[in-house]
């Protein structure tokens, strides 16, 4: 049952103090206040103070108080957010005039615990609090206080004048990431502005309190150059309309891990798609496999983890919760050496500081599969070799991941004896990290169709989710096909709905058949808002085994460029009613761009196309191409380093454009 501020002054806005202070022994409260006093003193002496980030605490048990008014007296504002010790002038008036009395939490004039208020409404927040809290400021007519009064709610935010707590990068796992934490006593959001000067220039995303009563908000501040001094400040926006800007905090970033050098050129005056570039490096060993740069090629974030040369980050994706999802494993076409131990083989979700938030190992998945009723078409238990290439988080929160699946075959045409054929699987993993739908290539494709690299038969390397019909696309590099799978969010039959590519379900238009199909492709993506019916799709056409009217040409890795060994970036408009695939855009760079594996192609928000030629002999070439004539507007080269994928992201935060 709720009570008015006048009837129960100690109940209103002081639940936090009762919970965290009144039930503690007196000596513990004294020690806490002493620590806070020391923190305030240090904060005034040094910009590089190590702020003690509060441990996560549960949200307030009760809703915050609300402003109230009765009779002819009014008060402004109704809601305000303040830091400890901050002064604020309230204004109150009554239509008929008269003397006004001021109270804080029902106490005339207030006190040091709840803050003090003068006869003119000048309020000073308490200098020391054990947790952020709400207090109620009351203005009442002295002649008729029960009939004429108004209240305002002040949210006092713990954390000195910073409005929270900052931990600079030297205290985090990632030397380029800081942390901000604040406990809000009312529902709302917080974010951090940061930059090289007090003009700031960049914002993090806005993170909401965990409950409708408020609670603790934690934000990783990422996107900073290494070995640089940064200014940052907190911004708080409560749902009741109150706002608060914290004082400036100075942090210095540390030394980022080694990354490949990047050589950037751009066309003067070009209207580039703004944002950052996210890189997925596969060679050389010893550099960060996942890092982000600004469009000048300067590293602003990097992920490091202890790994062996056969372990790679694959298939990274930014999640709606601000984390990143990826596979960390060995490549599907490789076999783990018998003397290797502790090889990473998992799906991993990390935060911006590089901390692992959730993980699912292949051992755990295989144990779950063994205990399930999921079987292949022959009735066999599923037992997968490894995760590889790609994992997606679906709108329902499930993960779908590519897995390697091996089956032995005897006396296949041209392959006498027993051949262990490497195929692929797709696993749908629910929020409890349990498999609830499985698909594999052996149940749906002809084992005797193998254009290249058999017995590495299908070599899946990408997944796309269709938001329009909830089915999946899978890219099969060694089949030169993209398949559509009847997935239906884990309720589908798994049947192959169609095959895109040479010898598939569609007739090629607008290009030369079979030359202008894609071959040994990577990095498929939608180039239209529509994802079914009539839609557009692009990819990196690596071209390892391209078919010409005169026959097939097989190209070796890293071989000198030739006229028939080249890579392209095509875009097709697919029409599933006419079963046609029309080549509507085709970027064919010089033969020296030939990339025998890796790469991707993506449509940018401004209509440009981003293409990644992963593995030319000189190193990766990533380009932003204009919508007309594929003119190169921006180019980044990583000499002697291969970039499996490269993506242009708005920023390191969901919904934030830098």
């Amino acid at each position: 049952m709720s009570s008015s501020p006048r009837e129960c002054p100690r109940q209103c806005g002081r639940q936090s103090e009762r919970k965290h202070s009144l039930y503690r022994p007196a000596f513990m409260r004294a020690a806490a206040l002493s620590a806070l006093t020391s923190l305030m003193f240090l904060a005034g002496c040094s910009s590089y103070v190590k702020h003690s980030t509060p441990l996560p605490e549960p949200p307030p048990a009760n809703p915050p108080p609300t402003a109230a008014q009765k009779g002819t007296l009014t008060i402004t504002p109704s809601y305000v957010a303040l830091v400890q010790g901050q002064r604020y002038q309230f204004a109150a008036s009554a239509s008929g005039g008269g003397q006004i009395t001021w109270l804080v939490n029902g106490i005339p004039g207030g006190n040091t615990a709840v803050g003090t208020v003068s006869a003119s409404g000048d309020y000073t927040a308490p200098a020391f609090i054990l947790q952020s809290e709400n207090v109620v400021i009351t203005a009442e007519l002295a002649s008729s206080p029960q009939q004429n009064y108004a209240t305002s709610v002040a949210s006092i935010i713990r954390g000195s004048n910073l409005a929270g707590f900052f931990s600079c990068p030297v205290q985090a796992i990632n030397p380029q990431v800081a942390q901000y934490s604040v406990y809000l006593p009312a529902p709302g959001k917080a974010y951090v502005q940061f930059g090289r000067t007090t003009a700031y220039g960049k914002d993090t995303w806005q993170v909401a309190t965990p409950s409708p009563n408020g609670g603790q908000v934690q934000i990783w501040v990422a996107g900073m150059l290494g070995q640089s001094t940064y200014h940052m400040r907190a911004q708080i926006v409560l749902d009741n309309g109150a706002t608060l800007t914290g004082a400036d905090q100075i942090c210095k970033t540390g030394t980022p891990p080694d990354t490949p050098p990047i050589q950037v050129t751009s066309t003067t005056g070009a209207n580039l798609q703004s944002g950052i570039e996210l890189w997925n490096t596969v060679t050389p060993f010893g550099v960060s496999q996942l890092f982000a740069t600004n469009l000048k090629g300067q590293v602003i974030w990097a992920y490091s983890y202890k790994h062996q040369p056969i372990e790679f980050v694959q298939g990274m994706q930014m999640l709606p919760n601000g984390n990143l999802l990826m596979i960390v494993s060995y490549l599907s076409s490789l076999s783990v050496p018998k003397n290797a131990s502790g090889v990473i083989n998992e799906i991993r979700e990390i935060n911006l500081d590089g901390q692992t938030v959730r993980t699912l190992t292949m051992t755990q998945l295989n144990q779950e599969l063994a205990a399930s009723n999921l079987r292949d078409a022959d009735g066999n238990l599923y037992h997968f070799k490894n995760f590889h290439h790609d994992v997606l988080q679906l709108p329902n929160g499930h993960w779908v991941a590519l897995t390697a699946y091996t089956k032995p075959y005897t006396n296949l045409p041209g392959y006498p004896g027993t051949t262990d054929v490497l195929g692929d699987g797709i696993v749908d993993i629910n929020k409890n990290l349990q498999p609830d739908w499985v698909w594999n290539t052996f149940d749906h494709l002809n084992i005797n169709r193998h254009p290249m690299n058999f017995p590495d038969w299908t070599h899946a390397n990408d997944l796309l989710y269709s938001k329009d019909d909830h089915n999946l696309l899978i890219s099969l590099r060694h089949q030169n096909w993209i398949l559509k799978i009847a997935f239906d969010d884990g309720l589908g039959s798994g049947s192959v709905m169609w095959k895109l590519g040479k010898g598939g379900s569609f007739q090629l238009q607008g290009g030369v058949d079979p030359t202008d199909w894609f071959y040994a492709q990577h990095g498929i993506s939608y180039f239209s808002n529509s994802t079914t019916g009539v839609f557009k799709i692009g990819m990196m056409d690596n071209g390892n085994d391209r078919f010409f009217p005169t026959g097939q040409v097989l190209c070796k890795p890293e071989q000198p460029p030739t006229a028939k060994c080249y890579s392209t970036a095509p875009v097709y408009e697919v029409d599933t009613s006419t079963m046609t695939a029309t080549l509507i855009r085709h970027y064919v760079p010089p033969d020296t761009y030939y990339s025998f594996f890796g790469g991707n192609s993506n449509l940018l928000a401004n209509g440009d196309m981003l293409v990644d030629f992963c593995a030319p002999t000189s190193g990766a070439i990533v380009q932003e191409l204009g919508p007309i004539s594929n003119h190169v507007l921006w180019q980044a080269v990583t000499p002697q380093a291969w970039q499996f994928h490269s993506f242009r992201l708005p920023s390191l935060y969901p919904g934030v454009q830098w």
Side-chain angles (χ1 to χ4, degrees), residues 280-283 312 314 331 333 389 452-453 459 461 477-478 519-523 540-544 555-558 567 593-600 612-616 620 641-645:
N280 184 189
T281 304
V282 291
T283 63
F312 299 93
Q314 306 168 54
L331 302 181
S333 55
H389 281 91
M452 64 176 286
N453 287 23
H459 200 98
N461 59 21
R477 166 176 164 87
H478 289 179
Y519 296 91
Q521 73 281 353
H522 280 81
M540 174 54 55
D541 160 32
N542 294 94
N544 299 45
C555 303
K556 297 179 180 179
E558 299 185 87
S567 300
Y593 283 44
Y594 171 64
S595 177
F596 72 96
F597 88 105
N600 59 289
D612 170 17
F613 294 87
C614 166
W642 292 342
Q643 305 300 329
F644 181 62
H645 283 150

Side-chain angles (χ1 to χ4, degrees), residues 2 153 182 201 227 319 387 396 518 543 630:
S2 61
V153 179
V182 65
Q227 288 292 320
L319 301 180
F387 296 110
N396 63 7
F518 48 86
N630 292 321

Side-chain angles (χ1 to χ4, degrees), residues 293-313:
T293 67
N294 57 27
L295 297 190
K296 297 178 181 179
Q298 298 170 307
V299 176
I300 59 172
W301 179 85
Y303 173 58
S304 293
Y305 69 104
K306 188 176 181 180
H307 62 282
Q308 303 178 61
I310 63 172
E311 297 158 349
F312 299 93
V313 170

Side-chain angles (χ1 to χ4, degrees), residues 512-566:
V512 177
D513 191 353
T515 309
D516 289 333
W517 281 114
F518 48 86
Y519 296 91
Q521 73 281 353
H522 280 81
I524 63 175
S525 66
Y526 291 113
F527 271 64
S528 59
N529 186 56
S530 172
T531 61
T532 190
V534 179
F535 65 94
K536 299 173 184 177
I537 190 170
M539 71 284 295
M540 174 54 55
D541 160 32
N542 294 94
N544 299 45
D545 64 327
R546 193 177 306 279
F547 281 80
F548 296 87
T550 55
Q552 184 183 31
V553 174
L554 295 175
C555 303
K556 297 179 180 179
E558 299 185 87
Q559 73 175 45
T562 71
K564 291 192 174 183
C565 290
Y566 59 91

Side-chain angles (χ1 to χ4, degrees), residues 93-137:
S93 62
S95 59
Q99 181 181 351
I100 296 175
T101 302
W102 291 86
L103 307 89
V104 184
N105 276 8
I107 304 171
N111 60 29
T112 56
V114 297
T116 59
V117 63
S118 71
S120 62
D122 187 3
Y123 173 72
T124 301
F128 306 112
I129 53 177
L130 292 177
Q131 187 52 282
S132 300
E133 60 187 13
N134 300 300
V135 298
V136 177
I137 313 298

Side-chain angles (χ1 to χ4, degrees), residues 199-470:
Y200 303 103
K202 284 187 171 61
D203 293 351
T204 68
W205 66 328
Q206 297 187 18
V207 179
T209 51
S211 90
N213 297 340
Q216 187 154 310
V217 172
Q218 292 185 330
I219 300 172
W220 296 107
V221 184
M224 299 181 282
L225 300 173
Q227 288 292 320
S228 301
T229 299
Y230 275 81
H231 295 262
M232 54 191 71
R233 68 180 180 185
Q235 294 285 355
I236 294 171
V237 182
L238 300 182
D239 290 355
N240 59 28
T243 62
L244 178 63
T245 298
D248 182 67
Q249 166 72 46
I250 297 176
C251 280
K252 186 174 182 180
T253 57
T255 302
D258 290 338
T259 55
I262 300 175
Q263 300 171 355
V264 173
T265 56
S266 61
T267 300
T268 302
N271 182 28
L272 300 179
Q273 175 58 51
S274 59
I276 65 170
E277 200 73 15
L278 187 64
W279 305 82
N280 184 189
T281 304
V282 291
T283 63
F285 178 75
V287 300
S288 175
Q289 296 177 347
L290 184 61
F291 66 98
T293 67
N294 57 27
L295 297 190
K296 297 178 181 179
Q298 298 170 307
V299 176
I300 59 172
W301 179 85
Y303 173 58
S304 293
Y305 69 104
K306 188 176 181 180
H307 62 282
Q308 303 178 61
I310 63 172
E311 297 158 349
F312 299 93
V313 170
Q314 306 168 54
M316 68 281 192
Q317 175 193 8
M318 180 168 284
L319 301 180
N321 65 1
N323 293 335
L324 287 97
L325 184 67
M326 65 192 72
I327 284 172
V328 182
S329 183
Y330 53 96
L331 302 181
S332 60
S333 55
L334 299 179
S335 296
V336 177
K338 292 183 179 180
N339 60 349
S341 62
V343 176
I344 303 173
N345 185 3
E346 65 185 43
I347 302 173
R348 181 179 294 183
E349 180 180 342
I350 66 168
N351 61 29
L352 284 176
D353 194 37
Q355 300 173 18
T356 298
V357 176
R358 283 200 302 169
T359 184
L360 176 67
T361 68
M362 181 54 72
T363 297
Q364 292 169 329
L365 176 63
N366 281 329
Q367 289 171 347
E368 292 283 354
L369 287 167
S372 74
N373 60 358
L374 297 168
R375 303 288 188 274
D376 67 16
D378 296 327
N380 299 314
L381 280 170
Y382 280 106
H383 188 89
F384 292 119
K385 172 187 170 188
N386 69 311
F387 296 110
H388 66 88
H389 281 91
D390 204 11
V391 58
L392 302 178
Q393 180 167 296
L394 304 182
N396 63 7
H398 288 207
W399 294 342
V400 287
L402 290 175
T403 59
Y405 192 36
T406 302
K407 276 193 172 184
Y409 282 81
T410 303
N411 295 327
L412 290 171
Y415 295 86
T418 299
T419 302
D420 288 329
V421 179
L422 178 60
D424 291 285
I426 303 173
V427 185
D428 178 31
I429 301 161
N430 64 28
K431 293 181 180 180
N432 296 320
L433 302 185
Q434 297 169 323
D436 58 11
W437 186 91
V438 184
W439 180 92
N440 75 86
T441 52
F442 295 101
D443 290 350
H444 298 279
L445 299 177
N446 179 4
I447 192 67
N448 292 310
R449 184 186 190 274
H450 36 76
M452 64 176 286
N453 287 23
F454 193 77
D456 184 358
W457 174 46
T458 49
H459 200 98
N461 59 21
D462 233 334
L463 290 169
L464 280 182
Y465 177 75
S466 171
K467 62 179 178 58
D468 294 334
D469 62 7
H470 306 257

